[in-house]
PDB file of all heavy atoms in Angstrom:
ATOM      1  N   LEU N 179      92.795  97.043  75.691  1.00 84.00           N
ATOM      2  CA  LEU N 179      93.091  98.284  74.976  1.00 84.00           C
ATOM      3  C   LEU N 179      91.824  99.091  74.698  1.00 84.00           C
ATOM      4  O   LEU N 179      91.808 100.314  74.846  1.00 84.00           O
ATOM      5  CB  LEU N 179      93.805  97.968  73.662  1.00 84.00           C
ATOM      6  CG  LEU N 179      95.309  97.679  73.735  1.00 84.00           C
ATOM      7  CD1 LEU N 179      95.808  97.192  72.390  1.00 84.00           C
ATOM      8  CD2 LEU N 179      96.069  98.917  74.171  1.00 84.00           C
ATOM      9  N   LEU N 180      90.770  98.405  74.303  1.00 88.00           N
ATOM     10  CA  LEU N 180      89.525  99.106  74.008  1.00 88.00           C
ATOM     11  C   LEU N 180      88.916  99.702  75.280  1.00 88.00           C
ATOM     12  O   LEU N 180      88.420 100.831  75.268  1.00 88.00           O
ATOM     13  CB  LEU N 180      88.540  98.140  73.338  1.00 88.00           C
ATOM     14  CG  LEU N 180      88.897  97.736  71.906  1.00 88.00           C
ATOM     15  CD1 LEU N 180      88.032  96.572  71.450  1.00 88.00           C
ATOM     16  CD2 LEU N 180      88.751  98.913  70.946  1.00 88.00           C
ATOM     17  N   ALA N 181      88.960  98.945  76.382  1.00 85.00           N
ATOM     18  CA  ALA N 181      88.439  99.459  77.648  1.00 85.00           C
ATOM     19  C   ALA N 181      89.213 100.690  78.084  1.00 85.00           C
ATOM     20  O   ALA N 181      88.632 101.679  78.569  1.00 85.00           O
ATOM     21  CB  ALA N 181      88.509  98.365  78.721  1.00 85.00           C
ATOM     22  N   GLU N 182      90.537 100.675  77.927  1.00 80.00           N
ATOM     23  CA  GLU N 182      91.361 101.827  78.283  1.00 80.00           C
ATOM     24  C   GLU N 182      91.043 103.011  77.381  1.00 80.00           C
ATOM     25  O   GLU N 182      90.989 104.158  77.832  1.00 80.00           O
ATOM     26  CB  GLU N 182      92.844 101.451  78.186  1.00 80.00           C
ATOM     27  CG  GLU N 182      93.294 100.480  79.265  1.00 80.00           C
ATOM     28  CD  GLU N 182      94.713  99.994  79.067  1.00 80.00           C
ATOM     29  OE1 GLU N 182      95.211 100.095  77.921  1.00 80.00           O
ATOM     30  OE2 GLU N 182      95.320  99.522  80.031  1.00 80.00           O
ATOM     31  N   PHE N 183      90.838 102.729  76.113  1.00 83.00           N
ATOM     32  CA  PHE N 183      90.540 103.806  75.160  1.00 83.00           C
ATOM     33  C   PHE N 183      89.232 104.504  75.519  1.00 83.00           C
ATOM     34  O   PHE N 183      89.132 105.738  75.495  1.00 83.00           O
ATOM     35  CB  PHE N 183      90.468 103.237  73.747  1.00 83.00           C
ATOM     36  CG  PHE N 183      90.117 104.241  72.689  1.00 83.00           C
ATOM     37  CD1 PHE N 183      91.079 105.103  72.178  1.00 83.00           C
ATOM     38  CD2 PHE N 183      88.824 104.324  72.198  1.00 83.00           C
ATOM     39  CE1 PHE N 183      90.749 106.038  71.204  1.00 83.00           C
ATOM     40  CE2 PHE N 183      88.487 105.258  71.231  1.00 83.00           C
ATOM     41  CZ  PHE N 183      89.453 106.118  70.732  1.00 83.00           C
ATOM     42  N   PHE N 184      88.211 103.704  75.869  1.00 85.00           N
ATOM     43  CA  PHE N 184      86.906 104.285  76.172  1.00 85.00           C
ATOM     44  C   PHE N 184      86.775 104.725  77.631  1.00 85.00           C
ATOM     45  O   PHE N 184      85.827 105.422  77.979  1.00 85.00           O
ATOM     46  CB  PHE N 184      85.799 103.276  75.849  1.00 85.00           C
ATOM     47  CG  PHE N 184      85.592 103.044  74.376  1.00 85.00           C
ATOM     48  CD1 PHE N 184      85.797 101.787  73.829  1.00 85.00           C
ATOM     49  CD2 PHE N 184      85.195 104.078  73.544  1.00 85.00           C
ATOM     50  CE1 PHE N 184      85.608 101.567  72.474  1.00 85.00           C
ATOM     51  CE2 PHE N 184      84.997 103.869  72.184  1.00 85.00           C
ATOM     52  CZ  PHE N 184      85.209 102.613  71.641  1.00 85.00           C
ATOM     53  N   GLY N 185      87.717 104.303  78.495  1.00 84.00           N
ATOM     54  CA  GLY N 185      87.632 104.653  79.901  1.00 84.00           C
ATOM     55  C   GLY N 185      86.515 103.922  80.619  1.00 84.00           C
ATOM     56  O   GLY N 185      85.829 104.494  81.466  1.00 84.00           O
ATOM     57  N   VAL N 186      86.321 102.629  80.264  1.00 86.00           N
ATOM     58  CA  VAL N 186      85.273 101.829  80.897  1.00 86.00           C
ATOM     59  C   VAL N 186      85.884 100.578  81.505  1.00 86.00           C
ATOM     60  O   VAL N 186      87.047 100.244  81.259  1.00 86.00           O
ATOM     61  CB  VAL N 186      84.177 101.433  79.885  1.00 86.00           C
ATOM     62  CG1 VAL N 186      83.515 102.677  79.293  1.00 86.00           C
ATOM     63  CG2 VAL N 186      84.740 100.548  78.770  1.00 86.00           C
ATOM     64  N   ASP N 187      85.092  99.870  82.297  1.00 86.00           N
ATOM     65  CA  ASP N 187      85.523  98.601  82.865  1.00 86.00           C
ATOM     66  C   ASP N 187      85.505  97.533  81.781  1.00 86.00           C
ATOM     67  O   ASP N 187      84.630  97.517  80.906  1.00 86.00           O
ATOM     68  CB  ASP N 187      84.593  98.212  84.017  1.00 86.00           C
ATOM     69  CG  ASP N 187      85.146  97.063  84.828  1.00 86.00           C
ATOM     70  OD1 ASP N 187      85.017  95.914  84.372  1.00 86.00           O
ATOM     71  OD2 ASP N 187      85.715  97.318  85.905  1.00 86.00           O
ATOM     72  N   GLU N 188      86.463  96.627  81.836  1.00 85.00           N
ATOM     73  CA  GLU N 188      86.532  95.545  80.840  1.00 85.00           C
ATOM     74  C   GLU N 188      85.279  94.687  80.832  1.00 85.00           C
ATOM     75  O   GLU N 188      84.959  94.054  79.820  1.00 85.00           O
ATOM     76  CB  GLU N 188      87.752  94.651  81.101  1.00 85.00           C
ATOM     77  CG  GLU N 188      89.064  95.238  80.623  1.00 85.00           C
ATOM     78  CD  GLU N 188      90.180  94.220  80.724  1.00 85.00           C
ATOM     79  OE1 GLU N 188      90.043  93.127  80.150  1.00 85.00           O
ATOM     80  OE2 GLU N 188      91.188  94.522  81.387  1.00 85.00           O
ATOM     81  N   SER N 189      84.569  94.620  81.957  1.00 87.00           N
ATOM     82  CA  SER N 189      83.369  93.791  82.026  1.00 87.00           C
ATOM     83  C   SER N 189      82.304  94.253  81.037  1.00 87.00           C
ATOM     84  O   SER N 189      81.468  93.466  80.591  1.00 87.00           O
ATOM     85  CB  SER N 189      82.800  93.782  83.447  1.00 87.00           C
ATOM     86  OG  SER N 189      82.406  95.092  83.828  1.00 87.00           O
ATOM     87  N   GLU N 190      82.345  95.530  80.670  1.00 88.00           N
ATOM     88  CA  GLU N 190      81.381  96.041  79.690  1.00 88.00           C
ATOM     89  C   GLU N 190      81.647  95.486  78.298  1.00 88.00           C
ATOM     90  O   GLU N 190      80.780  95.539  77.422  1.00 88.00           O
ATOM     91  CB  GLU N 190      81.400  97.569  79.658  1.00 88.00           C
ATOM     92  CG  GLU N 190      80.949  98.213  80.963  1.00 88.00           C
ATOM     93  CD  GLU N 190      80.733  99.706  80.839  1.00 88.00           C
ATOM     94  OE1 GLU N 190      80.255 100.147  79.769  1.00 88.00           O
ATOM     95  OE2 GLU N 190      81.054 100.434  81.801  1.00 88.00           O
ATOM     96  N   LEU N 191      82.842  94.957  78.087  1.00 90.00           N
ATOM     97  CA  LEU N 191      83.215  94.402  76.783  1.00 90.00           C
ATOM     98  C   LEU N 191      83.415  92.894  76.841  1.00 90.00           C
ATOM     99  O   LEU N 191      84.061  92.317  75.976  1.00 90.00           O
ATOM    100  CB  LEU N 191      84.482  95.098  76.266  1.00 90.00           C
ATOM    101  CG  LEU N 191      84.345  96.600  76.018  1.00 90.00           C
ATOM    102  CD1 LEU N 191      85.683  97.207  75.629  1.00 90.00           C
ATOM    103  CD2 LEU N 191      83.310  96.868  74.928  1.00 90.00           C
ATOM    104  N   GLY N 192      82.875  92.271  77.875  1.00 85.00           N
ATOM    105  CA  GLY N 192      82.851  90.818  77.900  1.00 85.00           C
ATOM    106  C   GLY N 192      83.727  90.141  78.915  1.00 85.00           C
ATOM    107  O   GLY N 192      83.722  88.913  79.003  1.00 85.00           O
ATOM    108  N   ALA N 193      84.501  90.895  79.720  1.00 79.00           N
ATOM    109  CA  ALA N 193      85.374  90.264  80.717  1.00 79.00           C
ATOM    110  C   ALA N 193      84.570  89.862  81.937  1.00 79.00           C
ATOM    111  O   ALA N 193      83.566  90.493  82.271  1.00 79.00           O
ATOM    112  CB  ALA N 193      86.486  91.217  81.130  1.00 79.00           C
ATOM    113  N   ASN N 194      85.023  88.806  82.625  1.00 73.00           N
ATOM    114  CA  ASN N 194      84.448  88.477  83.918  1.00 73.00           C
ATOM    115  C   ASN N 194      84.782  89.588  84.883  1.00 73.00           C
ATOM    116  O   ASN N 194      85.898  90.089  84.910  1.00 73.00           O
ATOM    117  CB  ASN N 194      85.014  87.157  84.437  1.00 73.00           C
ATOM    118  CG  ASN N 194      84.546  85.978  83.606  1.00 73.00           C
ATOM    119  OD1 ASN N 194      83.456  86.007  83.035  1.00 73.00           O
ATOM    120  ND2 ASN N 194      85.375  84.950  83.522  1.00 73.00           N
ATOM    121  N   LYS N 195      83.823  89.959  85.713  1.00 57.00           N
ATOM    122  CA  LYS N 195      84.005  91.100  86.612  1.00 57.00           C
ATOM    123  C   LYS N 195      85.219  90.928  87.514  1.00 57.00           C
ATOM    124  O   LYS N 195      85.994  91.858  87.729  1.00 57.00           O
ATOM    125  CB  LYS N 195      82.751  91.274  87.474  1.00 57.00           C
ATOM    126  CG  LYS N 195      82.795  92.479  88.407  1.00 57.00           C
ATOM    127  CD  LYS N 195      82.825  93.773  87.628  1.00 57.00           C
ATOM    128  CE  LYS N 195      82.782  94.969  88.576  1.00 57.00           C
ATOM    129  NZ  LYS N 195      82.848  96.250  87.864  1.00 57.00           N
ATOM    130  N   GLU N 196      85.435  89.692  88.009  1.00 44.00           N
ATOM    131  CA  GLU N 196      86.532  89.494  88.944  1.00 44.00           C
ATOM    132  C   GLU N 196      87.888  89.577  88.274  1.00 44.00           C
ATOM    133  O   GLU N 196      88.914  89.727  88.923  1.00 44.00           O
ATOM    134  CB  GLU N 196      86.397  88.134  89.642  1.00 44.00           C
ATOM    135  CG  GLU N 196      86.413  86.932  88.711  1.00 44.00           C
ATOM    136  CD  GLU N 196      85.018  86.567  88.214  1.00 44.00           C
ATOM    137  OE1 GLU N 196      84.113  87.433  88.306  1.00 44.00           O
ATOM    138  OE2 GLU N 196      84.835  85.432  87.741  1.00 44.00           O
ATOM    139  N   LYS N 197      87.930  89.488  86.935  1.00 44.00           N
ATOM    140  CA  LYS N 197      89.196  89.554  86.223  1.00 44.00           C
ATOM    141  C   LYS N 197      89.422  90.904  85.574  1.00 44.00           C
ATOM    142  O   LYS N 197      90.445  91.140  84.950  1.00 44.00           O
ATOM    143  CB  LYS N 197      89.250  88.460  85.145  1.00 44.00           C
ATOM    144  CG  LYS N 197      89.285  87.052  85.704  1.00 44.00           C
ATOM    145  CD  LYS N 197      89.438  86.044  84.590  1.00 44.00           C
ATOM    146  CE  LYS N 197      89.518  84.620  85.139  1.00 44.00           C
ATOM    147  NZ  LYS N 197      89.651  83.615  84.063  1.00 44.00           N
ATOM    148  N   SER N 198      88.451  91.784  85.700  1.00 41.00           N
ATOM    149  CA  SER N 198      88.585  93.087  85.054  1.00 41.00           C
ATOM    150  C   SER N 198      89.045  94.118  86.058  1.00 41.00           C
ATOM    151  O   SER N 198      89.238  93.834  87.231  1.00 41.00           O
ATOM    152  CB  SER N 198      87.241  93.520  84.438  1.00 41.00           C
ATOM    153  OG  SER N 198      86.284  93.744  85.452  1.00 41.00           O
ATOM    154  N   TYR N 199      89.258  95.318  85.598  1.00 39.00           N
ATOM    155  CA  TYR N 199      89.667  96.400  86.469  1.00 39.00           C
ATOM    156  C   TYR N 199      88.926  97.652  86.058  1.00 39.00           C
ATOM    157  O   TYR N 199      88.377  97.742  84.966  1.00 39.00           O
ATOM    158  CB  TYR N 199      91.175  96.641  86.388  1.00 39.00           C
ATOM    159  CG  TYR N 199      91.634  97.072  85.015  1.00 39.00           C
ATOM    160  CD1 TYR N 199      91.733  98.416  84.690  1.00 39.00           C
ATOM    161  CD2 TYR N 199      91.944  96.130  84.028  1.00 39.00           C
ATOM    162  CE1 TYR N 199      92.135  98.820  83.436  1.00 39.00           C
ATOM    163  CE2 TYR N 199      92.341  96.537  82.769  1.00 39.00           C
ATOM    164  CZ  TYR N 199      92.428  97.879  82.481  1.00 39.00           C
ATOM    165  OH  TYR N 199      92.823  98.259  81.229  1.00 39.00           O
ATOM    166  N   ASN N 200      88.885  98.615  86.927  1.00 41.00           N
ATOM    167  CA  ASN N 200      88.204  99.871  86.633  1.00 41.00           C
ATOM    168  C   ASN N 200      89.150 100.786  85.896  1.00 41.00           C
ATOM    169  O   ASN N 200      90.076 101.333  86.489  1.00 41.00           O
ATOM    170  CB  ASN N 200      87.721 100.543  87.929  1.00 41.00           C
ATOM    171  CG  ASN N 200      86.609  99.734  88.574  1.00 41.00           C
ATOM    172  OD1 ASN N 200      85.728  99.239  87.883  1.00 41.00           O
ATOM    173  ND2 ASN N 200      86.665  99.594  89.888  1.00 41.00           N
ATOM    174  N   ALA N 201      88.924 100.913  84.619  1.00 40.00           N
ATOM    175  CA  ALA N 201      89.788 101.785  83.826  1.00 40.00           C
ATOM    176  C   ALA N 201      89.453 103.232  84.139  1.00 40.00           C
ATOM    177  O   ALA N 201      88.297 103.600  84.313  1.00 40.00           O
ATOM    178  CB  ALA N 201      89.585 101.508  82.337  1.00 40.00           C
ATOM    179  N   SER N 202      90.460 104.056  84.208  1.00 40.00           N
ATOM    180  CA  SER N 202      90.245 105.472  84.450  1.00 40.00           C
ATOM    181  C   SER N 202      90.724 106.247  83.243  1.00 40.00           C
ATOM    182  O   SER N 202      91.626 105.803  82.527  1.00 40.00           O
ATOM    183  CB  SER N 202      91.017 105.924  85.689  1.00 40.00           C
ATOM    184  OG  SER N 202      92.393 105.644  85.535  1.00 40.00           O
ATOM    185  N   PRO N 203      90.129 107.406  82.984  1.00 38.00           N
ATOM    186  CA  PRO N 203      90.567 108.199  81.833  1.00 38.00           C
ATOM    187  C   PRO N 203      92.055 108.493  81.929  1.00 38.00           C
ATOM    188  O   PRO N 203      92.575 108.818  82.977  1.00 38.00           O
ATOM    189  CB  PRO N 203      89.720 109.478  81.961  1.00 38.00           C
ATOM    190  CG  PRO N 203      88.515 109.052  82.745  1.00 38.00           C
ATOM    191  CD  PRO N 203      89.020 108.014  83.716  1.00 38.00           C
ATOM    192  N   SER N 204      92.743 108.369  80.833  1.00 41.00           N
ATOM    193  CA  SER N 204      94.182 108.588  80.804  1.00 41.00           C
ATOM    194  C   SER N 204      94.578 108.938  79.391  1.00 41.00           C
ATOM    195  O   SER N 204      93.732 109.127  78.520  1.00 41.00           O
ATOM    196  CB  SER N 204      94.919 107.321  81.246  1.00 41.00           C
ATOM    197  OG  SER N 204      94.727 106.299  80.282  1.00 41.00           O
ATOM    198  N   LEU N 205      95.882 108.980  79.163  1.00 39.00           N
ATOM    199  CA  LEU N 205      96.355 109.238  77.805  1.00 39.00           C
ATOM    200  C   LEU N 205      95.898 108.168  76.847  1.00 39.00           C
ATOM    201  O   LEU N 205      95.815 108.377  75.647  1.00 39.00           O
ATOM    202  CB  LEU N 205      97.886 109.331  77.811  1.00 39.00           C
ATOM    203  CG  LEU N 205      98.468 110.582  78.464  1.00 39.00           C
ATOM    204  CD1 LEU N 205      99.991 110.502  78.455  1.00 39.00           C
ATOM    205  CD2 LEU N 205      98.008 111.845  77.775  1.00 39.00           C
ATOM    206  N   LEU N 206      95.581 106.948  77.384  1.00 41.00           N
ATOM    207  CA  LEU N 206      95.134 105.874  76.510  1.00 41.00           C
ATOM    208  C   LEU N 206      93.771 106.197  75.905  1.00 41.00           C
ATOM    209  O   LEU N 206      93.369 105.584  74.932  1.00 41.00           O
ATOM    210  CB  LEU N 206      95.074 104.564  77.288  1.00 41.00           C
ATOM    211  CG  LEU N 206      96.425 104.014  77.732  1.00 41.00           C
ATOM    212  CD1 LEU N 206      96.218 102.786  78.612  1.00 41.00           C
ATOM    213  CD2 LEU N 206      97.278 103.657  76.538  1.00 41.00           C
ATOM    214  N   ALA N 207      93.043 107.126  76.496  1.00 43.00           N
ATOM    215  CA  ALA N 207      91.746 107.503  75.963  1.00 43.00           C
ATOM    216  C   ALA N 207      91.864 108.596  74.907  1.00 43.00           C
ATOM    217  O   ALA N 207      90.882 109.059  74.380  1.00 43.00           O
ATOM    218  CB  ALA N 207      90.831 107.975  77.089  1.00 43.00           C
ATOM    219  N   ASP N 208      93.058 108.992  74.595  1.00 45.00           N
ATOM    220  CA  ASP N 208      93.314 109.999  73.566  1.00 45.00           C
ATOM    221  C   ASP N 208      92.936 109.432  72.213  1.00 45.00           C
ATOM    222  O   ASP N 208      93.351 108.335  71.848  1.00 45.00           O
ATOM    223  CB  ASP N 208      94.802 110.368  73.591  1.00 45.00           C
ATOM    224  CG  ASP N 208      95.128 111.499  72.628  1.00 45.00           C
ATOM    225  OD1 ASP N 208      94.271 111.894  71.816  1.00 45.00           O
ATOM    226  OD2 ASP N 208      96.263 111.974  72.695  1.00 45.00           O
ATOM    227  N   GLU N 209      92.142 110.142  71.437  1.00 51.00           N
ATOM    228  CA  GLU N 209      91.741 109.651  70.128  1.00 51.00           C
ATOM    229  C   GLU N 209      92.940 109.506  69.201  1.00 51.00           C
ATOM    230  O   GLU N 209      92.865 108.847  68.177  1.00 51.00           O
ATOM    231  CB  GLU N 209      90.700 110.592  69.510  1.00 51.00           C
ATOM    232  CG  GLU N 209      89.352 110.543  70.211  1.00 51.00           C
ATOM    233  CD  GLU N 209      88.312 111.348  69.485  1.00 51.00           C
ATOM    234  OE1 GLU N 209      88.574 111.793  68.349  1.00 51.00           O
ATOM    235  OE2 GLU N 209      87.226 111.539  70.047  1.00 51.00           O
ATOM    236  N   ASP N 210      94.067 110.142  69.557  1.00 69.00           N
ATOM    237  CA  ASP N 210      95.265 110.075  68.724  1.00 69.00           C
ATOM    238  C   ASP N 210      96.208 108.980  69.186  1.00 69.00           C
ATOM    239  O   ASP N 210      97.349 108.911  68.775  1.00 69.00           O
ATOM    240  CB  ASP N 210      95.986 111.429  68.765  1.00 69.00           C
ATOM    241  CG  ASP N 210      96.842 111.651  67.529  1.00 69.00           C
ATOM    242  OD1 ASP N 210      96.605 110.957  66.525  1.00 69.00           O
ATOM    243  OD2 ASP N 210      97.743 112.487  67.577  1.00 69.00           O
ATOM    244  N   PHE N 211      95.732 108.104  70.054  1.00 75.00           N
ATOM    245  CA  PHE N 211      96.524 106.979  70.526  1.00 75.00           C
ATOM    246  C   PHE N 211      96.670 105.957  69.408  1.00 75.00           C
ATOM    247  O   PHE N 211      95.709 105.615  68.721  1.00 75.00           O
ATOM    248  CB  PHE N 211      95.811 106.371  71.745  1.00 75.00           C
ATOM    249  CG  PHE N 211      96.353 105.059  72.195  1.00 75.00           C
ATOM    250  CD1 PHE N 211      97.497 104.993  72.953  1.00 75.00           C
ATOM    251  CD2 PHE N 211      95.690 103.886  71.899  1.00 75.00           C
ATOM    252  CE1 PHE N 211      97.989 103.777  73.393  1.00 75.00           C
ATOM    253  CE2 PHE N 211      96.160 102.665  72.330  1.00 75.00           C
ATOM    254  CZ  PHE N 211      97.318 102.618  73.080  1.00 75.00           C
ATOM    255  N   VAL N 212      97.896 105.461  69.203  1.00 84.00           N
ATOM    256  CA  VAL N 212      98.167 104.479  68.155  1.00 84.00           C
ATOM    257  C   VAL N 212      98.786 103.234  68.777  1.00 84.00           C
ATOM    258  O   VAL N 212      99.711 103.334  69.583  1.00 84.00           O
ATOM    259  CB  VAL N 212      99.128 105.057  67.090  1.00 84.00           C
ATOM    260  CG1 VAL N 212      99.452 104.004  66.033  1.00 84.00           C
ATOM    261  CG2 VAL N 212      98.517 106.282  66.438  1.00 84.00           C
ATOM    262  N   ALA N 213      98.257 102.077  68.430  1.00 84.00           N
ATOM    263  CA  ALA N 213      98.779 100.812  68.942  1.00 84.00           C
ATOM    264  C   ALA N 213      99.779 100.231  67.944  1.00 84.00           C
ATOM    265  O   ALA N 213      99.464 100.041  66.772  1.00 84.00           O
ATOM    266  CB  ALA N 213      97.645  99.821  69.175  1.00 84.00           C
TER     267      ALA N 213
END
């Protein structure tokens, strides 16, 4: 969720590279997104 919010790869937040994905900017990066 945090990677999607910031539009970064999960590996930047501690995931193994092979298990992460390249997050792309989307509605999840909206500051008004509520979980």
Side-chain angles (χ1 to χ4, degrees):
L179 280 172
L180 289 168
E182 290 173 340
F183 178 80
F184 289 118
V186 300
D187 192 281
E188 282 189 56
S189 62
E190 296 190 36
L191 298 175
N194 292 330
K195 183 65 177 178
E196 60 271 18
K197 293 184 178 179
S198 66
Y199 63 92
N200 292 318
S202 57
S204 67
L205 289 177
L206 292 174
D208 185 351
E209 290 187 10
D210 205 19
F211 169 79
V212 178

